Amino acid sequence: MVVGLAVLWPGGAPAHERTGVGFDRQSQQATVTEVVKLSCKSVNASGGSPTGDASTGGSATGGSAAPEEGDGDCKKATIRVDTGKDKGRTFTEIVQPDQSRQLHQGEKVVVAYEPSAPRNLQYSVTDVNRRLPMTVLAGIFAVVVVLVGRMRGVMALVALAISFLILNFFILPAILQGSNPLIVAVVGASAIMLIALYMCHGLSARTSVAVLGTLISLVLIGILGSVFIGWAALTGNTDDNTGLIHGLYPHIDMSGLLLAGVIIGSLGVLDDVTVTQTSAVWELHEANPSMGWRGLYRAGIRIGRDHIASVVNTLVLAYAGAALPLLLLFSIAQSSVGTVANSELVAEEIVRTLVGSIGLVASVPVTTALAALVVAADRPGQNAPADTAGGPGFGDGAVTATPGGTAPGGTAGGAAGGTAGATGAQPRITGRGRRRKR
């Protein structure tokens, strides 16, 4: 894994000339300083051409067409640029009454900048600035995790931060540099998994079993994903964002990028399943140390079946929720189930869901078997010097004895106990061992 990181380390994302489309635009922070109501007819009559954006009713290039209907009250918003070389500059934008996003005085917004446009059309509002509520929510999340998880919660947050660093500084730049997305995803996901699991759960045999089970499941997901993405002829280029990526970096394998997303998306749930199964087997062993690996496996797999049912349902619903607007469009079009499933947009989600679910299901028996084999090797009586207790003699005394032979233990333990009870003396018995729970 370390060798893979060193070989594939990109050294930063390659530079490119901005297209001015979608996310590939220069943007600045701004504030709405004034909002004035006015008649939409007056806007039409004056022939004004205020700046705008698709999100606020204008065009993507910054020009906003006058409202088609002259009735109703429009709003004229004055926006001040707060960052960049044009800090303090203001511009106006007309907000139509039927737009989904209405601007309000004092609201923080994000504006796009197009230097090649005419001066009065260079800036346009593209989105609302959500940094404050997002920061507050992240703070609440961190506090809750630390209060409940205590030190483990702190380590989980540190591991989460490291995961984002690996994603931002290794996985994404390496893919943009032209490295194989599948290899990059496997190496990056393995690094995230090792750091997260060992930081949160410590260096132990239990954690190592969970790591091994996760790695085996990731390999299975990679193989299945590669086979079925190729067989189903999924290109991975299905929307404006992927189209823009392909246009800027045509050397990127978009189907490989789709497979990389499947692997990384499955990793978080895989960690949960493998750690839970490993912990279950270890606790079963603590409760009954005499149980063999077959018994541990059977008991662990019964726990795993409940886990499988909930995890698969969770994964399917998560993908369905993300694709809900798309599914709604198909419902509006009254398309048949076969037509919907055959479209590449939905087929991608189906393949992603089913391949990830197969890997999750397979991780349960694999991890349970590995954990049972490891903990069964620590059964009492194999390495411990003592395993049973000597019975009490005829007196009141009772001693703990070692098994076998004529050493103090067994019959000797009973006799010694009887003698001790009769004379009131306590014999000294050597050979301490663990009592087996009966």
Side-chain angles (χ1 to χ4, degrees):
M1 186 270 291
V2 176
V3 175
L5 284 172
V7 171
L8 297 173
W9 191 263
H16 71 277
E17 185 177 351
R18 290 186 179 272
T19 63
V21 178
F23 290 105
D24 195 38
R25 290 183 286 188
Q26 298 183 45
S27 62
Q28 301 294 343
Q29 306 302 314
T31 303
V32 179
T33 58
E34 185 181 20
V35 177
V36 178
K37 288 186 178 181
L38 73 166
S39 171
C40 293
K41 286 183 179 181
S42 67
V43 177
N44 285 333
S46 65
S49 57
T51 59
D53 178 71
S55 62
T56 56
S59 65
T61 59
S64 176
E68 295 180 2
E69 297 181 1
D71 298 331
D73 290 331
C74 292
K75 293 179 181 178
K76 181 180 179 181
T78 303
I79 297 100
R80 183 190 67 237
V81 179
D82 295 332
T83 58
K85 64 182 182 63
D86 290 330
K87 182 178 179 180
R89 177 177 166 181
T90 61
F91 65 97
T92 59
E93 188 161 300
I94 299 299
V95 182
Q96 301 180 30
D98 58 346
Q99 291 175 200
S100 59
R101 181 181 295 123
Q102 298 291 313
L103 299 179
H104 307 282
Q105 186 172 346
E107 187 174 23
K108 300 293 184 179
V109 295
V110 179
V111 296
Y113 174 62
E114 179 50 61
S116 62
R119 179 173 173 80
N120 64 327
L121 301 177
Q122 287 181 335
Y123 284 97
S124 61
V125 176
T126 60
D127 209 343
V128 174
N129 189 335
R130 303 180 179 88
R131 292 185 178 182
L132 180 59
M134 298 288 282
T135 302
V136 172
L137 181 59
I140 295 173
F141 165 74
V143 170
V144 171
V145 170
V146 172
L147 286 178
V148 177
R150 298 186 179 180
M151 194 59 199
R152 287 207 173 186
V154 174
M155 298 307 294
L157 292 176
V158 174
L160 179 62
I162 294 174
S163 299
F164 275 109
L165 291 176
I166 293 175
L167 182 66
N168 192 50
F169 292 102
F170 171 69
I171 295 178
L172 299 180
I175 291 175
L176 290 177
Q177 290 282 8
S179 299
N180 187 299
L182 174 58
I183 297 176
V184 171
V186 170
V187 173
S190 299
I192 291 173
M193 174 197 61
L194 289 172
I195 293 171
L197 288 180
Y198 282 118
M199 283 191 68
C200 295
H201 304 285
L203 291 168
S204 64
R206 179 186 301 196
T207 307
S208 298
V209 169
V211 166
L212 187 56
T214 304
L215 280 175
I216 294 172
S217 301
L218 280 178
V219 171
L220 177 61
I221 290 173
I223 293 172
L224 287 174
S226 180
V227 169
F228 284 95
I229 287 175
W231 192 4
L234 299 177
T235 63
N237 190 1
T238 54
D239 57 25
D240 293 340
N241 292 327
T242 54
L244 178 60
I245 293 171
H246 184 66
L248 293 173
Y249 300 97
H251 58 275
I252 293 179
D253 180 10
M254 299 305 293
S255 61
L257 187 63
L258 172 62
L259 180 57
V262 173
I263 292 173
I264 295 173
S266 302
L267 178 62
V269 189
L270 267 177
D271 287 351
D272 173 51
V273 173
T274 55
V275 169
T276 301
Q277 283 304 115
T278 305
S279 297
V281 173
W282 245 263
E283 292 302 321
L284 287 169
H285 172 69
E286 290 294 329
N288 187 0
S290 64
M291 188 182 295
W293 81 268
R294 289 185 180 85
L296 288 170
Y297 177 79
R298 285 194 294 266
I301 205 69
R302 285 194 294 269
I303 299 172
R305 290 191 185 105
D306 292 334
H307 206 179
I308 286 172
S310 60
V311 165
V312 169
N313 195 45
T314 299
L315 194 64
V316 171
L317 291 179
Y319 284 128
L324 198 58
L326 175 64
L327 297 177
L328 187 60
L329 287 176
F330 280 111
S331 179
I332 293 171
Q334 297 182 349
S335 302
S336 65
V337 175
T339 302
V340 172
N342 190 65
S343 66
E344 185 169 2
L345 277 171
V346 178
E348 275 190 8
E349 299 303 324
I350 292 175
V351 171
R352 192 195 311 268
T353 302
L354 296 182
V355 167
S357 298
I358 291 172
L360 291 175
V361 171
S363 70
V364 172
V366 169
T367 308
T368 304
L370 290 172
L373 288 171
V374 171
V375 296
D378 190 35
R379 292 177 63 188
Q382 294 180 355
N383 300 318
D387 194 40
T388 59
F394 294 101
D396 296 329
V399 296
T400 300
T402 57
T406 58
T411 304
T419 304
T423 62
Q426 295 293 331
R428 181 171 181 172
I429 305 297
T430 59
R432 298 172 58 192
R434 292 188 296 181
R435 292 180 182 268
R436 177 177 293 173
K437 295 181 181 179
R438 297 183 182 273

